[in-house]
Amino acid sequence: MLRLLTVSCLIAVSFCFQAYLLPRVTSHVGSVLSMTNTRFPNLEKCLYREYGSFFAPMERQFYANDVTFIDPLTSFTGIDKYQANVDMLAGRNSIGGFLFRDASIALHNITPIGENQLQTRWTLQVDVKFLPWQPRAKFTGVSIYTIAGESGSEKVIKQEDYWDSVNLQ
C-alpha cells in the first residue's frame, strides 16, 4: 500500500512537472539558446546590458564612428552625437537635466530580421520637467539596427526608430 502511494505521488509530480513546469523551462532555455545562436551574440548581449542601464556606459566599441540615427523627430550621424542624444534623454547632460528626469527604457526582445539587421522592441519612459504639469511620457516602439562586420567585430552602422505610440500621462 505504501509502495502504491509512493508510485502515485511520483506519477503526480512527474505529470505536474511535464504539464506545468517543463514548458516554461524549455521556453526560457529556448529563448536563451536562440539569442546565443544568432549571428551577432556579442552585440545582442551588449544591447541587453545597454538597455538595462540606459546606456550607462554606452559600449562604443559596438558602434561605427559614423553611426546614423533616425527617429520620427531627429536624425544625425556620428558616435558622439549618438551618445549625446542618449545622455540627453537620460538627463545626464545639462540640456537633458533641464528637460527630463527618471528616464528608463525596458527592452522586451531582440529579433534578427535580416542578414545584417536586428530589431529591438522597447518601452521608453521619462518625466518631462520643462512642462508645468510635468507629464510622464511613455513611448513604445522598435529600433532596427543595421550591422556591418562579422561576429566578433560587428558594429552598428545605423539605428532607425519607429514609434508605436506616445502617451503623455
Side-chain angles (χ1 to χ4, degrees):
M1 183 71 152
L2 183 59
R3 189 172 167 171
L4 181 61
L5 184 58
T6 303
V7 169
S8 296
C9 286
L10 288 174
I11 290 171
V13 168
S14 174
F15 175 76
C16 288
F17 180 75
Q18 290 176 8
Y20 181 74
L21 295 175
L22 191 58
R24 287 157 180 77
V25 170
T26 54
S27 69
H28 176 68
V29 170
S31 67
V32 171
L33 290 176
S34 69
M35 186 198 80
T36 59
N37 287 332
T38 65
R39 184 157 179 244
F40 302 109
N42 294 333
L43 177 59
E44 287 191 41
K45 290 174 188 172
C46 164
L47 291 171
Y48 277 109
R49 287 189 302 269
E50 287 184 328
Y51 278 71
S53 67
F54 209 124
F55 294 78
M58 180 178 159
E59 298 183 37
R60 293 171 66 106
Q61 69 270 24
F62 285 96
Y63 298 86
N65 287 333
D66 60 349
V67 62
T68 299
F69 176 86
I70 302 166
D71 78 7
L73 295 179
T74 189
S75 66
F76 51 81
T77 299
I79 193 167
D80 292 333
K81 290 179 182 178
Y82 187 103
Q83 185 161 8
N85 187 58
V86 172
D87 288 344
M88 185 259 312
L89 285 171
R92 290 191 293 261
N93 61 26
S94 57
I95 295 171
F98 172 75
L99 298 174
F100 306 117
R101 79 166 168 262
D102 295 330
S104 67
I105 187 165
L107 176 61
H108 305 297
N109 60 49
I110 299 175
T111 306
I113 59 169
E115 177 80 16
N116 293 314
Q117 289 187 317
L118 295 173
Q119 176 180 288
T120 59
R121 174 152 290 283
W122 45 262
T123 301
L124 169 68
Q125 297 185 76
V126 61
D127 290 341
V128 183
K129 288 173 41 177
F130 70 92
L131 294 175
W133 66 98
Q134 299 188 0
R136 180 115 178 116
K138 183 176 184 179
F139 300 77
T140 62
V142 297
S143 295
I144 297 177
Y145 292 88
T146 302
I147 304 148
E150 295 301 315
S151 182
S153 64
E154 65 266 25
K155 303 251 186 220
V156 173
I157 59 172
K158 181 166 62 170
Q159 177 184 339
E160 294 177 81
D161 284 2
Y162 300 92
W163 302 345
D164 299 323
S165 65
V166 177
N167 182 7
L168 294 177
Q169 300 172 351

